[in-house]
Every structure is written in C-alpha cells, then in structure tokens.
Amino acid sequence: MADPRQATGSGALETCCLERILEALKLLLSPGGSGSSSLQITKHDVLLATLKSNLSAVEDKLLKDPHWKTLKLLRDEIANKAEWPQNSVDVTWSFTSQILLWLLCLKETMIHLAADFNPGKSNPRTPEAAPALSPDTLSISQQKTVQSVLQFVVTLGVCPYLMPGVGVPLRYRTEFGAVVQDVVCLDAAPDATRRLYTSCRVLLNVAQHASLGSLIFCRHFGDIAAGLCQLGFCPTKRKPLKPEEEVLTEEERALSREALRDILNQIYQPLAVRELLTLQGGPPQACTDVKTQVRSQAPAWLRRLCGQLLSERLMRPSGVQAVVRGILEGAGAGAAGGHDAEATAADWKKCDLIAKILASCPQQSLSPEDYYRDICPQILDLFHFQDKLTARQFQRVATTTFITMSRERPQLAAKYLLQPMLAPLHRCLNTAEIPESDMVPGTILVTEEELSRCIEDVFKVYVVGNEPSAVLVDSLLPVLGVLFSLYCFTRQSVSHIRSLCEEILLWILGKLERKKAIASLKGFAGLDKSMPSLHSLCHFRAATQGGVMVAIKEPICDEDEDEALYQKVSSEQWQVEHLGDLLSLCQECGLAGDFFIFCLKELTHVAEENEAEFKMKPFSSKSLLELAQHHTLLVEGREQKLLVLQLVAVLCERMSEQIFTNIAQVVDFVAATLQRACASLAHQAESTVESQTLSMSMGLVAVMLGGAVQLKSTDFAVLKQLLPLLEKVSNTYPDPVIQELAVDLRITISTHGAFSTEAVSVAAQSTLNKNDPEGKTEGQRQTSHERSTGVSRSHLEQQQSHEKSNQTGLKSNTPLIPQEVSEPNATTNQKSRNITTEQLQEVLLSAYDPQIPTRAAALRTLSRWIEQREAEALEMQEKLLKIFLENLEHEDTFVYLSAIQGVALLSDAYPEKILLGLLTQYDSGKDKHTPETRMKVGEVLMRIVRALVPVHSCDAGSAS
C-alpha cells in the first residue's frame, strides 16, 4: 500500500481547511447532525439505507458545493494513491473505505498545518499569557467527532472479520453491534481478510499523528491488536496455496507481525498487558445475561501468542510494575488510586493471582535464576510507592510474591529477594567484613533511608504476610541480634521504626520453635555470645527525620575509658530491661513463662557449681597464658551469674501473675524451685529465703490439688514429674513441716487427688492467704456488696451468665489462684474457727460466681463450715440448702458434686425434714426436670439414705 504522505506536495493541501474535513465526517455519520445515536436504534434494512444515503449526500456535496472543491481534490488524490479496493457490493465496506480515506485526509491536513505553524515570540511584558495553540489542535467537539468516526471504522471494518475466539465478539457488545454483524456480507468482494488488513494498516497510518494516535489507541487498541494477531500469527492451511489463491502475502503477514510488536512496545504498557490478558481469555463460562453471553474460548495459537507477548512485557524494564498496573487498574483503581482502590486492595485473590504470574518463570527466560535475577529488584521496588492507595495494592502484591517465591523456589528467593532486602542489617553484623575504606571513624555505614526502608520491608513481608515458612524464618535468624539492639536504641528516644521492630521481634519469637525462641532470648540477654550481633566498631546514631543510622565509632581516648565503661554497663542494663518489656507482651503464648523457668534453672546450675573449681592453683603449676585464660573464664562465669540474677529480678518485676498459662509451666516452675532447694542442701546452704520459696512453690501445688484448677488425668501425668523431687525433699530437708508436706503431696499426686491430708489443705489456704493477706480493699468490698444485693433482683439474668461461663470452661489464661475466695477460706483455717457475718455473705456471693473454680470452692467452704458446726452457717441452713439445690442443676461436675456434698452434710442435722423436702421436689418435678437433674437429685437421696441407715441402726440397737 502506497504511503498517502506523497500527496502532501499538491496544492490542494495549501488551501484545505480542517473544519471542512470534519464537516464531511459529520455528514457521513448522521444526516442532519443527529449523531451516531440515531443509527444505534436502526435495524438491518434501515441501517443499510442510511449508509447509502450518507455516502450519496457526501458525494453530492463534493460535486455541487464550490467550497468543497479543494476538499474533493484532496480526497481524490489520496484515493488514487490508495491500494485497497474502495467499492464493493457490500455497502458496509464501501462506507468503511470512504471513512478511511477521510481519516487519511484529516491526518495529512493536520501534518501540513503543523509544519507551516510558526508561533511568534512571546511578549515579555505579558509572560502570563498562554502560548498560541498549534492549528492542528482539535477541540473537544472535534475530538468527539473523530472518536465517533473511529468507532464506526472499528465496528464496520475490524470486528466483523475477527475469527471466533479472537477478541470480544461484536454481537455481545451493543445492540448496534449485533445489527452490524448481521448486515455485513462476508461473501462479497473484497475478501474478509483483505478488509481486516486494510482497516488495520490505515488506522496504524493515521495513528502516526500523535493526537490522532492517542484517540485510536485509547479505546481501540484491543481490537487493532486482535486484528494484527489474526493477520500475522493465525496458522494457514497446511496445503500450499497458489499465489492467486492467497489472500495475504507472506510479506503482508510479516508486516502485521512487526506492526503488532511496534505498537506493543510504544503503547502504555499496563494497557498492553490488560488487552493481552483479555485476548488470552479463559475457559467459557455460563451466563444467562443476553449481553454477556457465552463467548468462544480463545484458540490455542492465540493463547500461546498472548502468553509469549505477556512474558515479553514482563521482561522489559519496569515490566513487573506494568503487569501489576495492567491487572489492578482494570478494577477501577486507576493510575493514582480512585474511589474503588480500597476495595481493590482488599481483593486478595487478584493479588495472589498476580503473585503466581510473577513467580512463574516464562519460557523465554534462559533459566529460573536469570529470571529471578532480573525480576526480584523490580519486586522489591513495589514496596516503595508514595501514593497511599496505589502503595497498598502494590505492597500486597509484593508481599504475596515474596511468600509465593519463597514457597516455590526457596533458594532463589533467599538469594535474590531476602538477602538484598536484609542487606543493611547484614552489613553491620559482627560477622561481616567491613571494607577498609569504611573503617574511618564517623563513616555512615547504613544511612537512615536504607535502614528505615529495610525495617519497613521486613515488617511488610514477615508480619503482614504472616507466612512462617522455613526460608523466611531462617533468613531472619542471623539478624535478630541487630534487630533487638536497634529496638533497644529506639526505646531511648522517639522513632517511627520502634513499633515496627517490636512487631517483627514478637512475630519471629511467636513463630519459632520454642527451643529456638529460648535460644534467641538467651542471645538478646547476653547469655549466648555465639549469636550474631552488632559489630563492635559500629553503633547506632539518631538521624534527623526520627530514623536511625549505623556509623563507625570514634576511637576511645584514655580519658574516656570510664565513660565508655559506664556506657557499656548502662547499655547492658537497658537491654535486660527492654527484654523484660518485650517478654511482658509474650505472656499469652507462654514464651515468657518458659524463659522465666529457664532462668530459674540457670540459678539452680549456679547453686550446683563447685566454688572450689574457681580457686586458683599455685602459680608454679600454671603458665602465664593458662593463668590469663583461667582469670578470663572466672570473670565470664561470674558475669553470667550476675546476668542471670539480674534477669530473674527484672522478670519478677515486669511479669504479671498470669505468666504461667498451663499446668506444665507451673510444674516446671515448682520443679526448678525444688531442684534449687536440693542443690542448696547439697552445699549446706539452707536459708530462710530458700525455705520460704520452697514452701510457696509446694503451696502452689497444694492449691492446684485443692480445687483451684480442675485437673484432668493428663495434668496428673505432668504432676507426677515432681514425685522424685518431693521424695528427695522429704528425705533430706531438715524442716519437719516441709518434710510432712512433701510426703502428703506425693500421696495426693499418686492417688490423683483421691486421698488428701489436712496438711495439703492447710498449705493451700496458707498460700491463698499470702496472695491477699489483708483481705479485699474497700472498693472490692463495695463491689461485693452491690453484687450481693443484686442477686435477688436479677437471678434469672445471673443464671444465663452462669450457663455461658460453664460452656467456656477453664481458659488457658485463667489465674490458677482464685482471689475471690481467698479471705473466707483462709479464715476457716484459724484455730478459733469463728466466722463473721461479712465473711459468710462473701462466700454466699461467691457461690453464684460465674467462674467454675470460684463457685466450687465457695460451695466446699460452706460444706466445711456446716461440718465444723459454725454457728453463723447453721443459722442459715434453709438458705444454704436452697443454694446447694440450685447448684445441683449446674452442668459442671465439679460444681454439682460440691453441691451434693453440702446437701448430704445438711441431712445430718435435720435428716427427715430434708429427705421429705427432696422427695417432694423429686416427685413434683418429674415432668419439668431434665433427666440429668433427676439423676442428681436421686444421687443426693441415695447419699442421705446411706447416711441415715447407721443412725437408725444404732437407735434400733439401743431400743432392743
């Protein structure tokens, strides 16, 4: 096809007017200037008649109107140069051909006008005046006219000739498109393929003008690309055709392939990605909507072609960003966000799909390693966008891509993703080799921007991604020491990365295996010197924007040695305190309790060490080198001891009473205490403090065995670990009280609580009393009084809350010692055994407590007072009986068995009266009581009858 630019040398272009060409285009589109909307409602015959009428109207105007004479000369000149068939029996192609000619006239006119434009110099007196517009600039209304023309060209000259599955079918777009699809005559000359080739080539020719090209590719790039794919890549018939039988020559097919790659390289890449994905299509899906009917699946050759072209888009510079934008912007996010950006950011499936695309190595790449080497830096750049809405989407994609690549190719991900991301932290490790050029004091080794970006990226990948894969966790382990030092430094001042460091440390400590987590905490505390930490020549320095930088230390002068020593000691003290603050946030997961137990075991090792090993041998038996090594080991050992003592002190100060979250941790704590006591006895180092600690730990076991916690068979299996230590204490400890308690605890644990002595009960109540030696505060008393007065008003509401509590059961963070019953229970163990009215009311209130251990303990306390014939309790037997009977309906075994015990004890005082009342209640409630309730009442009756049989037997014997 000849280039229509050759016509620019004629004189017709010199006088041709741009407005006249646009007027002709308007006349072609719709008679009377009614616009294209009038054609959209026409049907087959009316559409054909309208197209013929429009063509005739333009030809009459060119022949009869003298003002259009120059325009006719231009049109005829370009038509003579054209190499495609312009006339056809098919009216739609004749109409399309004329529009293509007029578009070429428009393009040549705009080029000529722009070439002759010579704007004058701007007036310096009015610099604010706008510069003169180029005469080829189209107004808004003119752009709308051109857009309508282009819509007709694509609708009539491109879409009807696409193969099934190539692009979006015309009949599924609009009602007008369906009409066009029916009126196009594919059997008439020229051939459909030739028509498609002509339309695409002319549109690409017109698109060479910048403003016209933007109008063409903005809306019709997908259809033009679909046409070029079909023209250049659609497989031909296997049987070779004769030259006269070929519709397109091989040269024309090659030109189509080249044109496709040219426009793909020049177009806005996200747009190219989006249109290629549309062309690639997917499996057919059922749909009942007429406008979105089932479309044919894209042919295999087109799917392969689009996949190859998409891979080429991805491998280009900034290709990752183009792919991400191409997929996400199509959802309404736009280049700079948009009102749908937040909804798109929450579309995890779409982000995961992009991550899978990026993680898959295309066939065009030489190897997966080459692909990762090129792609991974672009993925890291996705984290660093300034626009907030766009950044949310890109960060989600980058995080998901990190996780996907780490899962599919862990070694390559660690090499090309994780190591570059963590490079600023690795650079300042004590195992890193710092170049001599950077050893100058004051040199910035890691800038504020590098460190901040590194911490933010780590937070996004690890904490936000929350994927505890092995490669992610292992990659972070070497830099944990630097992260903790950075966290401690940020705690001393204001810094925006402090919370990020804290979240990262909490995440990794929670995801690590418990042994590795304890080992990391040992490194943080300084107990493990093998853990990589901050280089001895490096130190953190506050930056101007609230960040932190890493710099080379200044050399220490002799005068500053004391100050350096003070800074070192202070830094170690801060690290221990900050470690305690960090562990206070790890109590729920049990890590704080495990580390506390570890520290207690370290204290045991300190007690077991033989001081004689550190005594210096005579100088004659050692060389100076051995003597120096001996002193070094001696100092390090004592530093370790002091550090362990400091850790225990800080943890005792920072941790709450809920540091232990399960029975196993409590048992480990008690075991550590017993081991330390045995070790002290071995060195004849018994002390009052040791004795009190031992009594406290054994009392804690007594509390658990006494009912504060509902123990299971598995819990007793854990408690049996204490049996050897209790036996050792009972045989070696000099205090007879502790010996007796150790023996009784062994018996209670061995019998799973079936047999418990008075010593165990006294120890439990003593421990509870130590928790609250002065009783409740005034505020607690007032709250208790309010709760007591509210029982009668809202009894039904209380029962509902009780049922909810019973369903939840004992949670892992429930305190092992119920504080609510500590005062009355402790009081019952006093020798006087006299209780006050206030104490009785307090226990009565606890009998309605929603906590199962508290309620059961209160019921057992009331039973014990009845058994001990306390006057205050005996005066309220009817009320106590009512409380016991109400708790019979409780579903928890621990509660209703305690209630059964109380009813059985009350039957000793007034057996006939209680028996008669129970029989009446049991007989009258057969219809309304559940089977479980009737079973419980029956169990009470059985216990009362058994208790009455010996009494009546004795009476019968005396009577006889």
Side-chain angles (χ1 to χ4, degrees), residues 863-881:
S863 300
R864 187 163 53 253
W865 286 347
I866 294 172
E867 186 178 12
Q868 294 170 357
R869 294 291 186 259
E870 292 288 350
E872 293 288 338
L874 294 177
E875 291 177 0
M876 304 178 65
Q877 290 189 40
E878 294 184 2
K879 186 173 182 179
L880 296 180
L881 177 62

Side-chain angles (χ1 to χ4, degrees), residues 676-690:
R676 189 168 66 253
C678 295
S680 299
L681 288 175
H683 292 83
Q684 291 83 33
E686 180 192 358
S687 64
T688 304
V689 176
E690 194 73 40

Side-chain angles (χ1 to χ4, degrees), residues 594-604 644 647-648 651:
D594 288 341
F595 187 69
F596 182 64
I597 294 170
F598 162 78
C599 294
L600 292 180
K601 292 180 179 179
E602 288 297 312
L603 283 181
T604 303
V644 170
L647 273 173
V648 173
L651 292 177

Side-chain angles (χ1 to χ4, degrees), residues 35 170 283 288 428:
L170 186 60
T288 57
C428 52

Side-chain angles (χ1 to χ4, degrees), residues 897-953:
L897 287 179
S898 301
I900 289 175
Q901 182 184 5
V903 175
L905 289 173
L906 284 175
S907 65
D908 293 341
Y910 304 99
E912 292 82 1
K913 181 178 179 181
I914 295 178
L915 182 60
L916 181 61
L918 277 175
L919 288 172
T920 304
Q921 177 182 355
Y922 180 69
D923 185 64
S924 62
K926 285 183 179 179
D927 298 332
K928 62 181 181 180
H929 285 319
T930 62
E932 291 79 5
T933 304
R934 293 196 297 270
M935 181 186 68
K936 296 172 186 177
V937 175
E939 187 174 352
V940 176
L941 292 174
M942 181 184 66
R943 289 196 180 191
I944 294 175
V945 170
R946 286 179 178 178
L948 290 177
V949 168
V951 177
H952 289 285
S953 299

Side-chain angles (χ1 to χ4, degrees), residues 471-500:
V471 62
L472 290 176
V473 173
D474 293 343
S475 65
L476 198 58
L477 285 178
V479 297
L480 281 184
V482 178
L483 270 175
F484 180 72
S485 300
L486 178 60
Y487 166 72
C488 295
F489 181 81
T490 56
R491 291 291 302 269
Q492 303 172 26
S493 60
V494 178
S495 178
H496 64 277
I497 63 175
R498 178 199 303 171
S499 60
L500 301 180

Side-chain angles (χ1 to χ4, degrees), residues 500-729:
L500 301 180
C501 294
E502 182 179 284
E503 291 293 335
I504 295 170
L505 291 171
L506 291 176
W507 183 88
I508 189 65
L509 290 175
K511 300 302 180 183
L512 282 174
E513 297 178 2
R514 192 49 54 94
K515 290 184 178 179
K516 291 184 178 180
I518 296 296
S520 300
L521 293 175
K522 288 169 58 179
F524 295 165
L527 295 175
D528 185 4
K529 301 298 183 181
S530 64
M531 183 178 188
S533 57
L534 188 66
H535 200 285
S536 58
L537 297 178
C538 301
H539 71 126
F540 293 113
R541 232 167 60 182
T544 55
Q545 301 297 327
V548 182
M549 63 180 69
V550 182
I552 301 298
K553 291 181 180 179
E554 298 289 341
I556 301 176
C557 302
D558 295 339
E559 296 81 4
D560 298 335
E561 288 184 356
D562 293 340
E563 179 66 21
L565 179 60
Y566 171 77
Q567 292 293 339
K568 181 179 182 297
V569 174
S570 300
S571 176
E572 293 175 352
Q573 175 68 24
W574 288 338
Q575 286 194 353
V576 172
E577 292 181 356
H578 296 327
L579 178 59
D581 295 335
L582 190 66
L583 283 172
S584 65
L585 304 174
C586 302
Q587 294 189 106
E588 293 184 2
C589 65
L591 179 59
D594 288 341
F595 187 69
F596 182 64
I597 294 170
F598 162 78
C599 294
L600 292 180
K601 292 180 179 179
E602 288 297 312
L603 283 181
T604 303
H605 297 330
V606 171
E608 291 176 348
E609 287 180 353
N610 188 358
E611 292 294 335
E613 296 180 359
F614 294 97
K615 291 183 179 180
M616 189 182 307
K617 294 182 179 180
F619 293 113
S620 59
S621 62
K622 285 189 176 183
S623 64
L624 292 179
L625 179 60
E626 292 175 344
L627 187 62
Q629 293 176 349
H630 175 77
H631 277 289
T632 302
L633 292 175
L634 179 63
V635 172
E636 290 180 355
R638 291 185 175 178
E639 284 182 355
Q640 291 283 94
K641 293 179 182 179
L642 293 175
L643 187 54
V644 170
L645 291 173
Q646 185 182 9
L647 273 173
V648 173
V650 170
L651 292 177
C652 291
E653 180 183 354
R654 295 288 198 277
M655 300 298 110
S656 67
E657 68 277 0
Q658 295 183 356
I659 184 174
F660 299 137
T661 57
N662 51 61
I663 300 297
Q665 285 187 334
V666 177
V667 171
D668 289 340
F669 166 73
V670 175
T673 306
L674 295 177
Q675 288 175 353
R676 189 168 66 253
C678 295
S680 299
L681 288 175
H683 292 83
Q684 291 83 33
E686 180 192 358
S687 64
T688 304
V689 176
E690 194 73 40
S691 178
Q692 292 178 354
T693 304
L694 188 60
S695 300
M696 181 272 296
S697 61
M698 296 173 67
L700 187 57
V701 178
V703 169
M704 290 191 296
L705 295 173
V709 178
Q710 188 174 359
L711 299 175
K712 302 177 183 178
S713 58
T714 55
D715 298 330
F716 279 103
V718 176
L719 285 168
K720 286 183 179 180
Q721 301 175 9
L722 301 177
L723 294 181
L725 294 172
L726 290 172
E727 182 179 7
K728 190 173 183 179
V729 170

